[in-house]
């Protein structure tokens, strides 16, 4: 194949330019949300009887509208009975907080050695009103249900001291407190009572103060010096521009890695700034030493 070169460009530069122009044109034509990948994958066999179906979604114009996600717009049925409503599987369907995935959970175990078809219809839309590109795939179950581990037991207890906080990371601190970060930029230090419940937290807002408003914290890590000396708190905080869930107006390069130290973490210093940030929910992740 020969390329007609543009003035001032080599054949290789012309070919590269044409490739990206064609790619951009194809992307511009794909204005509707669509499936990127699904688990179980199309044609999968031996699928566990208690499986859930999860679809990762391409969202060119914004998050999936959760009001369009229901058992009529997304469903699972036994492939051999496409027109028999009795063979449609009772299910729970939902999207994620960022509106970038669809999850179908059967309310009962699937039948062994049976083929099922998973369907997403055009009734699913994004927050912009764009309809979903219809999707269908099939998979076949095996005959096993994974046995849950019996090594852990939990009791669910409502704790008034945790109410109202949208936490993003929770870790046991070197000082014996339970530390947590929030979606709006707070650091919480919960004392742990003798019975394992949590006391009233210390609410630290120095990151919010430094940035002049809410700041989404995606994770934090304890500095090794704090681990060595629990009386001298120092943490590294991964944080970014705060946007409401599902919003698509977040500016790029507004993420930071910030050091918070001193009494009540009152000293706030950015270590790395201008890190990338997506227009919706994807941000820099949790730091780890």
């Amino acid at each position: 194949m020969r390329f007609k070169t543009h003035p001032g460009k080599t054949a290789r530069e012309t070919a590269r330019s044409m490739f990206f122009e064609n790619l951009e044109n194809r992307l511009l034509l794909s204005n509707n949300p669509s499936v990127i990948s699904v688990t179980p994958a199309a044609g999968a066999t031996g699928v566990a009887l208690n499986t859930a179906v999860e679809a990762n979604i391409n969202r060119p114009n914004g998050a999936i509208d959760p009001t369009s996600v229901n058992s009529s717009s997304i469903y699972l049925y036994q492939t051999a009975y496409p027109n028999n409503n009795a063979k449609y599987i009772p299910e729970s369907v939902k999207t994620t907080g960022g509106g970038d995935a669809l999850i179908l959970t059967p309310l009962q175990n699937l039948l062994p050695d049976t083929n099922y078809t998973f369907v997403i219809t055009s009734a699913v839309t994004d927050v912009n009103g764009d309809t979903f590109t219809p999707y269908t795939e099939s998979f076949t179950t095996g005959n096993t249900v994974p046995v849950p581990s019996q090594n852990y037991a939990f009791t669910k207890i409502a704790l008034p001291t945790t109410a109202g906080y949208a936490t993003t990371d929770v870790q046991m601190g070197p000082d014996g407190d339970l530390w947590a970060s929030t979606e709006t930029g707070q650091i919480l230090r919960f004392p742990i009572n003798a019975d394992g419940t949590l006391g009233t937290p210390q609410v630290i807002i120095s990151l919010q103060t430094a940035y002049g408003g809410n700041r989404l914290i995606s994770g934090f890590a304890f500095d090794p010096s704090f681990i060595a000396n629990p009386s001298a708190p120092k943490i590294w905080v991964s944080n970014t521009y705060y946007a409401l869930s599902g919003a698509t107006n977040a500016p790029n390069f507004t993420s930071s890695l910030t050091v918070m130290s001193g009494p009540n973490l009152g000293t706030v210093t950015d270590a790395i700034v201008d890190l990338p940030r997506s227009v919706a929910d994807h941000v820099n992740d949790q730091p780890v030493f």
Side-chain angles (χ1 to χ4, degrees):
M1 178 184 293
R2 292 182 179 273
F3 292 98
K4 181 180 179 181
T5 60
H6 291 228
K9 290 186 177 181
T10 65
R12 175 175 293 182
E13 290 171 335
T14 299
R16 186 174 185 275
S17 176
M18 290 175 64
F19 170 80
F20 283 106
E21 286 175 4
N22 290 334
L23 177 61
E24 181 179 17
N25 289 337
R26 290 198 302 273
L27 291 174
L28 289 174
L29 290 173
S30 303
N31 287 326
N32 296 83
S34 58
V35 165
I36 298 174
S37 62
V38 176
T39 304
T45 58
V47 174
L49 304 183
N50 62 345
T51 191
V53 184
E54 180 173 342
N56 293 313
I57 306 304
N58 170 47
R59 311 160 303 151
N61 302 311
I64 294 298
D65 180 358
T67 65
S68 70
V69 177
N70 53 62
S71 57
S72 295
S73 61
I74 305 169
Y75 52 87
L76 183 71
Y77 66 88
Q78 288 187 41
T79 308
Y81 301 92
N83 298 314
N84 184 346
N85 288 337
K87 299 300 181 180
Y88 282 73
I89 308 306
E91 64 192 27
S92 168
V93 289
K94 61 182 180 180
T95 184
T96 57
D100 59 355
L102 296 169
I103 303 166
L104 183 152
T105 304
L107 299 181
Q108 60 193 37
N109 284 348
L110 302 177
L111 297 175
D113 303 313
T114 302
N115 190 264
Y116 288 90
T117 297
F118 171 64
V119 177
I120 304 175
T121 72
S122 59
V124 180
T125 64
D126 61 27
V127 292
N128 195 48
D130 300 297
T131 59
F132 201 94
T133 302
Y135 178 85
T136 301
E137 71 152 43
S138 297
F139 61 87
T140 302
T141 56
N143 53 22
T144 61
V145 177
V147 178
S149 171
Q150 300 299 316
N151 296 326
Y152 302 95
F154 298 91
T155 300
K156 185 177 181 180
I157 301 174
L159 297 177
T161 54
T162 66
Y165 297 111
T167 55
T168 56
D169 189 6
V170 179
Q171 301 184 50
M172 283 296 301
D175 54 356
D177 289 339
L178 184 71
W179 289 60
S181 57
T182 73
E183 287 184 351
T184 56
Q186 301 157 315
I187 298 292
L188 310 174
R189 292 176 68 180
F190 290 93
I192 300 177
N193 300 322
D195 62 357
T197 60
L198 301 179
T200 302
Q202 176 189 8
V203 182
I204 300 170
I205 62 170
S206 49
L207 182 68
Q208 292 174 321
T209 301
Y211 272 91
N214 290 341
R215 192 77 177 163
L216 171 61
I217 298 177
S218 55
F220 61 91
F222 299 116
D223 189 271
S225 66
F226 181 27
I227 297 173
N229 181 10
S231 64
K234 183 177 182 181
I235 64 174
W236 293 68
V237 180
S238 182
N239 61 97
T240 188
Y241 177 91
Y242 173 79
L244 295 174
S245 179
T248 57
N249 62 344
N252 201 357
F253 302 111
T254 52
S255 300
S256 303
L257 181 63
T258 303
V259 181
M260 302 176 65
S261 61
N264 302 318
L265 300 182
T267 301
V268 179
T269 306
D270 285 332
I272 306 174
V273 298
D274 299 336
L275 291 171
R277 194 217 193 285
S278 78
V279 297
D281 59 314
H282 293 286
V283 301
N284 43 302
D285 214 339
Q286 178 177 336
V288 176
F289 277 96

